[in-house]
Amino acid sequence: MSEVAQTYPPGQHPDMPPPAGQRGLMLWLRTNLFSSWVNTLMTVVAVYLLYKIVPPILDWAVLDAVMNAANRNECREIAQGACWAFIKDRFSILVYGFYPSDERWRVNMAFILLCLALVPVLFDNVPFRKPGMIFSAAYPFIAGWLLLGGLGLTPVGTDEFGGMMLNTVVGVTGIAFSLPLGILLALGRQSHLPIVKSCSVCFIEFIRGVPLITLLFVASTMLNYFLPPGTTFDLLLRVLIMVTLFASGYIAEVVRGGLQAIPKGQYEAADSMGLKYWQSMRLIVLPQALKISIPGIVNTFIGLFKDTTLVLIIGLLDVLGIGKSSLADAQWNGLSNEIYVSIAIFFFIACFGMSRYSIYLENKLDKGYKR
Amino acid sequence: MGEVNAETKTSVASAASKEDLIEIIGMHKWYGDFHVLKDINLRVKRGERIVICGPSGSGKSTMIRCINRLEEHQKGQIIVDGIELTNDLKQIDAIRREVGMVFQHFNLFPHLTVLENCTLGPIWVRQTPKAEAEEAAMNYLSKVKIPEQAKKYPGQLSGGQQQRVAIARSLCMNPRIMLFDEPTSALDPEMIKEVLDTMVELAETGMTMLCVTHEMGFARTVADRVIFMDGGEIIEENEPEEFFNNPQHERTKLFLSQILGH
């Protein structure tokens, strides 16, 4: 030992930095990449795989890609990579479906307003949150008016909805309405009132026991048998109802898990103060239960959003349906990679956004909770 | 609603002695077939401090939890501040507004700050304006000597501090009666004193208190009466001096020898 170990009187030992090699980049590399021979081996293999996989993808998607061409053959003459010209050509129908071209500003407007309406709902530190909330509450009606028309706007039938816009309409409506409905069902399932409880249980178990596709078929065909003859009941509306009910069944179970994690003492403290049932739920129990349930709730929402592609089966042309039918175009034959990659990117952005938001929310709510 | 309550209060109160804030008459309770409380009779006068002790499972917690209907009794009568406890939710809420409770495990609301914990009840149950409720809360937090923690969350406080917040939270509702359900049993020894000090100060203000506790020192200095329970029955009830120096019952003697023996 070259260093002389210095001694200090009891209680006088100063704080010291860790020894060399125990901090900074070297420490990070050693603990994370080369901590044992297995880890070293896996690091090497991973680097090799990345080297083999990433450059070809980059070549195909960017370096050898074609942005401008009139058809597939022209694309292939220019380069062997992705033919994004196809997507460019089809972009507006992928986004708007068959929505009349002159009226597409209404869809854009509805989307911009949706983003604005989401801000006060998602973030509690924005200015003008209270008036913003009123706007958010009014948004569904504004969006309905913009998309469907009437009252001065040219009416557009829901059969003209399609593409990403249709996925967004179904997804956002399902998410917005299934959360409150799911919470009510979860509370109903915990209720001491036997009728409320058994109705909630039956509903949840039925929904969870049946595939979504079945419900969508019921929506598209069988509902007509139950309704008085001659009633026309919009197909999209039926789909919206079915998707919402389906998601709410799952949300209910996720929220129930959160409710069960709340200690009995919280209910007792709320009761002993004289809070009424709805007050103690809203102020004490649900804020805590929903916080615990955030990962599960967002998981359900992500699933719901991706399941909106199932409307294809009952004949609504969502982005996947339009993409598939575009492949049949003789001019652009065989470019399925481009179409599916584009659709995948659309869904990934939406779902990844939800996932990041849920992590942000969890971190925010965790603040102060912990010691 | 306040007027209706006042009416029922006077009518029942005139029948009983005006001094009795809590009256329990021939009360029984069962968990399923298990008879937990047997023929409980207890009168608590305004301003009285009562300590309830007994071995675990003797029903002492259950008894005080019946007083604000956290547990339901099946037979007999409980009259709190002139209002009889029945299945009527309005009566239950009226009683709960007047009865504060402090729990063994504090039961603070972890998602709310200390100040929000204290103002929640006044704002939502008593419809106190927020500013007024906050002022009152700060006043009570000063009384329990932790006003500087008002903006923190319960999880950031020590056990003793949390329990003092819980006491302040109950006091913010301006209760006429305070129930304490083993308030120091979940605390480290050095924190027990700070909570007991707070409780002694509260007792000096003339608050009516029912306290389930094993702190015999507290019982000696503060209590007007000590009640000993075993097997769901009140075995013995006496002034603290008599109770500790001259217990009447064999069970009481045994219990006292066990807890005071070392």
Side-chain angles (χ1 to χ4, degrees):
Chain A
M1 287 279 275
S2 57
E3 255 180 87
V4 183
Q6 200 183 338
T7 55
Y8 300 91
Q12 302 288 307
H13 205 297
D15 293 338
M16 288 173 162
Q22 294 296 313
R23 53 185 154 151
L25 181 66
M26 285 307 288
L27 175 70
W28 186 88
L29 283 178
R30 210 151 33 132
T31 50
N32 292 303
L33 298 179
F34 305 104
S35 62
S36 68
W37 69 267
V38 181
N39 274 0
T40 308
L41 186 71
M42 289 203 295
T43 303
V44 171
V45 170
V47 169
Y48 176 73
L49 285 177
L50 284 175
Y51 165 73
K52 287 303 250 185
I53 294 167
V54 173
I57 291 181
L58 215 59
D59 278 347
W60 179 80
V62 182
L63 301 175
D64 282 344
V66 181
M67 288 304 289
N68 298 302
N71 56 47
R72 181 176 187 266
N73 293 335
E74 217 179 295
C75 260
R76 285 287 163 268
E77 279 164 23
I78 300 171
Q80 284 304 302
C83 181
W84 297 125
F86 174 36
I87 306 299
K88 229 171 133 184
D89 184 59
R90 290 301 157 119
F91 188 71
S92 64
I93 195 172
L94 281 172
V95 173
Y96 301 102
F98 309 103
Y99 210 84
S101 340
D102 293 343
E103 307 292 336
R104 284 179 183 171
W105 64 271
R106 281 155 56 179
V107 179
N108 296 339
M109 192 72 186
F111 184 73
I112 292 166
L113 291 180
L114 170 68
C115 297
L116 286 179
L118 281 177
V119 170
V121 177
L122 298 183
F123 304 99
D124 64 357
N125 48 3
V126 291
F128 308 114
R129 190 170 188 230
K130 275 214 168 127
M133 279 298 211
I134 298 171
F135 170 68
S136 306
Y139 176 77
F141 303 99
I142 299 171
W145 171 63
L146 275 173
L147 294 178
L148 294 168
L151 297 174
L153 292 176
T154 323
V156 176
T158 54
D159 50 341
E160 288 171 288
F161 286 23
M164 292 177 195
M165 171 229 166
L166 180 66
N167 292 94
T168 313
V169 167
V170 176
V172 171
T173 315
I175 287 170
F177 290 97
S178 66
L179 183 60
L181 191 58
I183 292 172
L184 286 180
L185 283 168
L187 291 177
R189 193 166 187 165
Q190 299 240 309
S191 170
H192 297 298
L193 308 172
I195 294 175
V196 173
K197 187 182 169 121
S198 47
C199 285
S200 305
V201 171
C202 287
F203 180 83
I204 292 167
E205 294 304 336
F206 171 74
I207 289 285
R208 292 202 306 165
V210 177
L212 178 56
I213 296 180
T214 317
L215 289 177
L216 290 176
F217 273 128
V218 170
S220 77
T221 57
M222 275 186 51
L223 226 49
N224 284 346
Y225 292 107
F226 303 127
L227 292 169
T231 21
T232 49
F233 195 44
D234 192 82
L235 179 59
L236 179 62
L237 182 60
R238 292 186 233 170
V239 168
L240 289 178
I241 291 172
M242 283 305 181
V243 168
T244 304
L245 293 182
F246 186 76
S248 67
Y250 282 84
I251 294 285
E253 285 301 278
V254 172
V255 173
R256 185 167 71 98
L259 287 174
Q260 281 178 343
I262 306 301
K264 211 176 141 218
Q266 295 287 309
Y267 292 88
E268 290 180 349
D271 283 349
S272 70
M273 274 187 178
L275 288 174
K276 302 209 162 47
Y277 174 79
W278 287 110
Q279 287 177 330
S280 62
M281 286 301 138
R282 191 167 80 75
L283 300 166
I284 310 296
V285 177
L286 282 177
Q288 298 183 59
L290 290 179
K291 176 186 166 277
I292 302 170
S293 317
I294 288 170
I297 290 173
V298 173
N299 201 20
T300 310
F301 284 167
I302 288 175
L304 178 150
F305 189 65
K306 292 191 290 186
D307 281 352
T308 57
T309 51
L310 291 175
V311 297
L312 172 66
I313 290 169
I314 57 166
L316 293 177
L317 282 178
D318 74 316
V319 66
L320 196 60
I322 289 189
K324 254 186 117 174
S325 53
S326 302
L327 289 176
D329 189 332
Q331 288 218 306
W332 298 101
N333 223 329
L335 293 173
S336 53
N337 285 345
E338 283 81 348
I339 276 286
Y340 290 132
V341 166
S342 308
I343 294 170
I345 290 171
F346 163 68
F347 278 104
F348 180 79
I349 289 171
C351 297
F352 187 65
M354 285 192 248
S355 160
R356 294 314 298 180
Y357 175 72
S358 90
I359 290 169
Y360 155 81
L361 196 60
E362 277 174 63
N363 286 338
K364 196 187 78 165
L365 295 179
D366 254 353
K367 234 184 272 166
Y369 253 62
K370 290 179 188 154
R371 287 199 144 209
Chain B
M1 211 179 85
E3 287 166 38
V4 180
N5 275 339
E7 252 170 56
T8 50
K9 260 183 209 172
T10 46
S11 62
V12 183
S14 58
S17 158
K18 284 213 167 99
E19 283 297 293
D20 286 333
L21 212 46
I22 303 174
E23 265 186 290
I24 302 177
I25 304 159
M27 188 253 283
H28 292 254
K29 171 164 181 63
W30 288 264
Y31 283 130
D33 287 336
F34 178 51
H35 201 166
V36 255
L37 292 177
K38 298 167 187 164
D39 193 25
I40 302 289
N41 289 286
L42 181 67
R43 281 165 186 275
V44 182
K45 291 199 181 68
R46 181 155 302 162
E48 246 190 326
R49 279 93 60 171
I50 291 179
V51 163
I52 301 155
C53 60
S56 63
S58 59
K60 47 196 195 309
S61 285
T62 311
M63 185 184 83
I64 71 162
R65 287 160 60 87
C66 283
I67 295 172
N68 66 351
R69 247 307 148 114
L70 290 184
E71 304 284 352
E72 200 177 325
H73 62 286
Q74 277 90 32
K75 204 179 152 194
Q77 270 186 306
I78 300 176
I79 300 164
V80 182
D81 199 15
I83 307 169
E84 186 175 355
L85 263 178
T86 56
N87 281 327
D88 186 345
L89 286 177
K90 274 193 180 160
Q91 308 264 60
I92 295 172
D93 283 339
I95 286 174
R96 283 174 175 169
R97 278 198 292 272
E98 305 302 332
V99 179
M101 187 159 202
V102 175
F103 299 88
Q104 181 178 0
H105 296 289
F106 331 132
N107 296 351
L108 293 176
F109 305 129
H111 61 300
L112 301 176
T113 62
V114 164
L115 187 64
E116 287 166 339
N117 264 281
C118 292
T119 55
L120 186 102
I123 289 174
W124 291 94
V125 178
R126 292 219 188 267
Q127 277 84 39
T128 315
K130 195 178 172 212
E132 203 179 300
E134 283 182 353
E135 200 189 316
M138 286 312 294
N139 181 24
Y140 282 114
L141 286 174
S142 309
K143 280 198 178 143
V144 300
K145 301 192 179 63
I146 35 175
E148 72 282 358
Q149 313 281 11
K151 298 281 172 213
K152 288 195 183 167
Y153 287 88
Q156 297 166 302
L157 306 185
S158 74
Q161 289 173 325
Q162 291 193 45
Q163 193 59 297
R164 284 185 285 152
V165 172
I167 294 172
R169 177 175 74 175
S170 293
L171 292 176
C172 282
M173 288 289 290
N174 282 324
R176 289 160 161 254
I177 302 162
M178 285 285 283
L179 306 175
F180 291 84
D181 187 2
E182 305 203 26
T184 56
S185 300
L187 295 175
D188 292 337
E190 70 260 38
M191 292 171 185
I192 291 178
K193 189 176 175 298
E194 61 186 59
V195 171
L196 287 181
D197 285 348
T198 309
M199 289 169 65
V200 170
E201 275 167 37
L202 181 62
E204 283 162 2
T205 66
M207 175 67 75
T208 311
M209 293 166 72
L210 266 84
C211 195
V212 174
T213 185
H214 297 294
E215 298 297 330
M216 290 304 134
F218 175 78
R220 261 182 211 277
T221 52
V222 171
D224 295 314
R225 261 191 295 162
V226 180
I227 289 173
F228 174 71
M229 288 183 73
D230 190 22
E233 288 179 89
I234 293 181
I235 304 287
E236 190 167 341
E237 120 173 49
N238 219 330
E239 286 167 10
E241 278 309 304
E242 276 293 294
F243 179 83
F244 288 111
N245 299 336
N246 188 18
Q248 302 296 311
H249 226 273
E250 277 310 307
R251 278 295 296 132
T252 322
K253 285 176 192 163
L254 183 65
F255 176 75
L256 285 175
S257 73
Q258 274 166 343
I259 61 165
L260 299 173
H262 47 85

